[in-house]
Amino acid sequence: MDIVVRKPDDKELEKLGVKAWPLWSSPVRTFPWEYAEKEVCYIIKGRALVVTPDGEEVEIKAGDLVTFHKGLKCTWKVLEPVEKYYKLG
């Protein structure tokens, strides 16, 4: 992950237009993922552990604004059902 911002303020979220982004959700599960392009997402529900091939583990949860860089390979371990707004590119 490039950036994890814990609890960004409402002004920042409004400036980004987060609430106009598409929604994505996942039940509790584990799956591999590779980002074909940059993604910025805002977690509105749940909790997940994102693990990179080199062993880096980052927990993301409701209230986090996360940026994933293009080409990132990782495994998502969804610990509590997740719902997020996301923006590609």
Side-chain angles (χ1 to χ4, degrees):
M1 278 70 40
D2 291 338
I3 303 169
V4 177
V5 178
R6 309 279 182 198
K7 305 282 184 196
D9 65 32
D10 289 340
K11 286 182 183 178
E12 178 66 17
L13 297 175
E14 198 173 304
K15 181 177 147 189
L16 292 169
V18 167
K19 290 186 178 178
W21 297 351
L23 278 171
W24 178 88
S25 62
S26 175
V28 172
R29 64 182 174 136
T30 298
F31 62 94
W33 193 254
E34 181 173 353
Y35 288 86
E37 55 188 305
K38 176 183 167 185
E39 178 182 314
V40 179
C41 64
Y42 179 65
I43 311 297
I44 53 177
K45 276 187 186 175
R47 189 168 63 95
L49 192 62
V50 180
V51 184
T52 63
D54 65 2
E56 178 188 7
E57 293 185 358
V58 177
E59 183 178 332
I60 57 175
K61 59 188 177 211
D64 290 348
L65 183 67
V66 187
T67 302
F68 298 97
H69 64 272
K70 179 180 177 178
L72 175 69
K73 293 180 182 180
C74 60
T75 299
W76 272 71
K77 295 181 180 181
V78 180
L79 306 172
E80 296 172 8
V82 167
E83 195 169 306
K84 68 178 184 173
Y85 289 110
Y86 70 96
K87 180 181 177 186
L88 301 174

